[in-house]
């Protein structure tokens, strides 16, 4: 009897412990459900179906062995569902352009970034206008004169495989503090800005045109670029961002562009047309038209003050002496003189002397002719600059900053330097194996010049 009573007491104690364990687990499940209901009170409702066996099989429930023996089903914990807050893309009907904010429009396009990366440029990391050259700044600090003494370069400083096509022109930035920047325009539909003094690195590639870029110039402030292209347009582009500010659509292929010396907002465009258009960048409209009985305009030059304009044409017929060089009144668009150059040679480029009242014209007669910039623009027959070859190429000529040296390219690939006052050849530099189209002398550094050729190569000499 004693043993049986002891056994019954042990069984009663086990039942009490099992009941306590069941109550504890049930309380834990209720706590879990209360927290889940609080988290999911706004979105979902929990429903408990104790008699639904199908829901018991699909859900995961908290249970104990004692609860299973007593057929007690505990409520499963269902995590709260988070509503999807992602916005669905709006379906844009075909033919409707989506709105782009002004801030997004000012960001450089991905096309320019890809072109810059191809040319070894990361436009996000390069600040073109803020960077300075130590060589240029050191020379400016020790040279108080605005026009340093010119010199003749002798040895090669940099050689750049710049473009995939013909490089038509190169030009240094006119701002002295940024004169290390070199602009190039090419037939491969691009124009670029280089560090032409220190590293020779390409700083920016501009792809604003769909045709060959025939001419390019800096603005006087050095923050914008004026270009003319065979896609029948001229463009003004921001140097830093690469964004095209305006596009002037002409009805002809643009061969030459030039901005007004007193008002950079006005520029002239000439090309495969009998007319020259004057555009105003502020309204992007043609404000003046200069009409002449010609087929093509090769070059345009503003004389000092911007009151008169000289244009060069491709007329080479027997009686074309009155159309090779034409002087115009800028404001009235009237012809001032057409009896300037009487020889049967075209003039692919013009250049104004920086100090004296004279200008020069590169001719296909293999010489540079000198003219007076005062009316009636007479030609100086006693002085001509000979020694180079043109042979139908668009070879350019240019003065040094002080006007003492005249530089010219050559179809033989050489760069020629002449003394302006006595027309004596100073040096012939064997620069390229292909025709050298342009020789641009540095405005600050003496004896420094950049050359470009027919094969897409740019070289800097010192």
């Amino acid at each position: 009897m004693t043993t049986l009573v002891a056994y019954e007491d042990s069984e009663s104690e086990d039942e009490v412990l099992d009941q306590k364990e069941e109550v504890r687990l049930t309380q834990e499940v209720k706590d879990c459900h209360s927290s889940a209901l609080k988290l999911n009170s706004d979105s979902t409702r929990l429903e408990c179906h104790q008699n639904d066996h199908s829901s018991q099989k699909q859900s995961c429930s908290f249970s104990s062995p004692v609860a299973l023996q007593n057929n007690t089903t505990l409520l499963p914990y269902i995590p709260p569902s988070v509503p999807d807050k992602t916005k669905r893309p709006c379906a844009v009907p075909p033919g409707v352009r989506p709105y782009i904010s002004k801030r997004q429009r000012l960001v450089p396009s991905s096309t320019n970034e890809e072109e810059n990366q191809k040319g070894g440029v990361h436009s996000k990391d390069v600040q073109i206008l803020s960077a300075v050259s130590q060589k240029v700044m050191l020379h400016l600090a020790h040279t108080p004169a605005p026009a340093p003494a010119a010199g003749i370069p002798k040895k090669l400083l940099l050689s750049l495989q710049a473009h995939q096509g013909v490089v038509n022109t190169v030009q240094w930035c006119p701002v002295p503090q940024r004169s290390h920047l070199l602009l190039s325009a090419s037939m491969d539909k691009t124009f670029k800005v280089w560090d032409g003094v220190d590293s020779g690195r390409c700083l920016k590639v501009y792809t604003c045109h769909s045709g060959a870029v025939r001419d390019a110039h800096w603005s006087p402030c050095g923050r914008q670029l004026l270009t003319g292209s065979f896609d029948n347009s001229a463009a003004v582009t921001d140097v830093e961002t690469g964004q095209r500010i305006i596009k002037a659509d002409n009805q002809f292929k643009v061969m030459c562009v030039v901005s007004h010396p007193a008002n950079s907002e006005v520029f002239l465009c000439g090309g495969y047309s009998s007319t020259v258009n004057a555009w105003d960048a502020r309204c992007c409209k043609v404000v003046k038209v200069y009409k002449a009985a010609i087929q093509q305009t090769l070059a345009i030059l503003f004389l000092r003050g911007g009151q008169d304009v000289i244009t060069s044409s491709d007329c080479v017929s027997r009686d074309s002496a009155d159309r090779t060089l034409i002087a115009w009144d800028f404001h009235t668009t009237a012809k001032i003189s057409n009896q300037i150059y009487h020889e049967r040679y075209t003039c692919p480029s013009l250049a104004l002397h920086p100090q004296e009242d004279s200008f020069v014209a590169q001719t296909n007669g293999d010489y540079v002719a000198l003219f007076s910039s005062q009316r009636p623009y007479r030609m100086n027959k006693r002085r001509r600059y000979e020694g180079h070859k043109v042979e139908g190429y668009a070879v350019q000529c240019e003065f040094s900053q002080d006007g003492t040296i005249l530089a010219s390219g050559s179809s033989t690939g050489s760069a020629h330097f002449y003394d302006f006052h006595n027309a004596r050849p100073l040096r012939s530099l064997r620069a390229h194996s292909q025709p050298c189209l342009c020789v641009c002398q540095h405005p600050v550094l003496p004896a420094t010049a950049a050359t470009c050729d027919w094969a897409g190569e740019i070289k800097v000499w010192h």
Side-chain angles (χ1 to χ4, degrees):
M1 293 296 293
T2 306
T3 306
L4 181 61
V5 170
Y7 180 74
E8 290 178 355
D9 293 341
S10 62
E11 287 182 352
S12 62
E13 290 175 0
D14 292 338
E15 291 177 359
V16 172
L17 291 174
D18 292 338
Q19 292 177 359
K20 290 181 179 180
E21 182 68 15
E22 181 180 352
V23 171
R24 187 180 64 81
L25 291 174
T26 305
Q27 185 64 30
E28 290 179 359
V29 172
K30 289 182 179 180
D31 295 339
C32 292
H33 277 289
S34 62
S35 62
L37 287 172
K38 290 179 181 180
L39 293 173
N40 202 23
S41 61
D42 297 336
S43 60
T44 60
R45 297 287 185 180
L46 294 178
E47 297 181 357
C48 177
H49 303 281
Q50 296 181 354
N51 297 327
D52 189 24
H53 298 285
S54 61
S55 63
Q56 292 177 3
K57 293 179 181 180
Q58 295 177 358
S59 61
C60 179
S61 61
F62 294 97
S63 61
S64 64
V66 178
L68 292 173
Q69 292 177 2
N70 298 332
N71 294 327
T72 303
T73 304
L74 301 179
L75 295 176
Y77 171 71
I78 301 176
S81 61
V82 180
D84 189 10
K85 297 182 179 180
T86 58
K87 296 182 179 180
R88 296 182 179 179
C90 299
V92 180
V96 178
R97 297 177 59 185
Y99 172 74
I100 302 176
S101 63
K102 183 178 180 181
R103 180 175 297 177
Q104 293 177 346
R105 291 196 301 268
L106 294 177
V107 177
S109 61
S110 59
T111 305
N112 290 340
E113 293 179 359
E114 293 176 0
E115 293 293 334
N116 293 341
Q117 292 176 1
K118 290 180 182 179
V121 185
H122 302 282
S123 59
K124 294 182 179 179
D125 300 331
V126 177
Q127 298 294 330
I128 299 178
L129 299 180
S130 60
V132 295
S133 172
Q134 297 297 329
K135 293 181 181 179
V136 174
M137 299 305 294
L138 184 62
H139 189 80
L140 289 174
H142 292 82
T143 307
I152 301 174
K154 297 181 180 180
K155 53 184 180 178
L156 181 64
L157 179 63
L158 296 172
S159 180
L160 311 172
Q161 281 295 345
H163 292 272
Q164 300 298 322
V166 179
V167 182
N168 292 312
T169 183
V170 289
Q171 190 178 96
W172 298 100
C173 182
V175 181
Q177 291 77 11
R178 302 171 188 158
S179 58
H180 65 286
L181 300 177
L182 181 65
L183 171 65
S184 64
S186 172
M187 301 294 283
D188 63 0
K189 305 178 184 179
T190 65
F191 54 102
K192 302 180 181 181
V193 172
W194 306 79
D195 182 356
V197 173
D198 297 318
S199 64
R201 189 161 54 108
C202 181
L203 302 179
K204 195 80 172 179
V205 181
Y206 306 87
T207 56
C208 302
H209 293 285
S210 60
V213 183
R214 185 61 179 79
D215 198 8
H217 295 279
W218 292 88
S219 64
C221 63
R223 295 184 177 274
Q224 297 175 355
L225 302 174
L226 175 62
T227 54
S229 171
F230 282 178
D231 62 357
N232 298 350
S233 71
V236 178
T237 308
D238 187 90
V239 175
E240 195 73 63
T241 64
Q243 292 293 310
R244 184 173 59 193
I245 300 174
I246 67 164
K247 180 181 179 181
D249 291 321
N250 297 274
Q251 301 299 323
F252 52 84
K253 294 181 179 180
V254 179
M255 289 281 294
C256 50
V257 290
V258 60
S259 59
H260 195 278
N263 184 7
S264 60
E265 300 292 342
V266 178
F267 59 91
L268 270 62
C269 299
Y272 288 87
S273 175
S274 60
T275 62
V276 175
N277 296 334
W279 288 81
D280 193 331
R282 291 163 293 191
C283 59
C284 196
K285 293 182 179 180
V286 178
V287 292
K288 299 179 186 299
V289 178
Y290 305 84
K291 298 181 181 180
I294 58 175
Q295 297 179 355
Q296 180 180 348
T297 301
L298 301 177
I300 304 173
L301 178 67
F302 272 104
L303 299 183
R304 191 163 287 104
Q307 302 294 327
D308 300 338
V309 183
I310 304 293
T311 60
S312 172
S313 70
D314 63 342
C315 292
V316 292
S317 59
R318 177 176 299 178
D319 54 349
S320 64
D322 59 340
R323 289 173 289 176
T324 305
L325 293 180
I326 304 175
W328 307 82
D329 185 280
F330 171 72
H331 297 286
T332 64
T333 70
K335 289 183 181 179
I336 300 174
S337 176
N338 55 6
Q339 301 293 326
I340 301 176
Y341 185 58
H342 300 281
E343 300 185 22
R344 293 179 56 189
Y345 298 114
T346 58
C347 302
S349 69
L350 305 170
L352 180 66
H353 196 278
Q355 296 180 1
E356 298 184 7
D357 294 331
S358 59
F359 70 93
V360 294
Q362 181 77 269
T363 70
N364 272 298
D366 296 337
Y367 67 92
V368 178
L370 178 64
F371 300 89
S372 173
S373 60
Q374 300 292 330
R375 300 179 184 181
Y377 315 110
R378 296 185 183 277
M379 177 180 174
N380 190 339
K381 297 182 179 180
R382 297 181 180 180
R383 193 193 307 179
R384 60 172 59 183
Y385 306 87
E386 298 176 306
H388 60 281
K389 299 292 183 180
V390 179
E391 297 178 346
Y393 290 95
V395 177
Q396 301 180 25
C397 56
E398 188 182 83
F399 286 100
S400 61
Q401 192 71 9
D402 60 353
T404 59
I405 296 177
L406 175 64
S408 173
S410 176
S411 62
T412 60
S414 300
H416 295 260
F417 299 88
Y418 301 95
D419 189 309
F420 170 71
H421 295 96
N422 54 25
R424 181 173 58 90
L426 299 176
R427 180 181 292 274
S428 176
L429 188 66
R430 183 64 182 175
H432 302 273
S433 59
Q434 296 291 326
C436 179
L437 301 182
C438 182
V439 181
C440 185
Q441 303 179 74
H442 200 278
V444 175
L445 299 177
T448 303
T451 60
C452 63
D453 70 351
W454 193 261
E457 188 178 20
I458 297 176
K459 292 184 179 180
V460 179
W461 304 83
H462 182 68

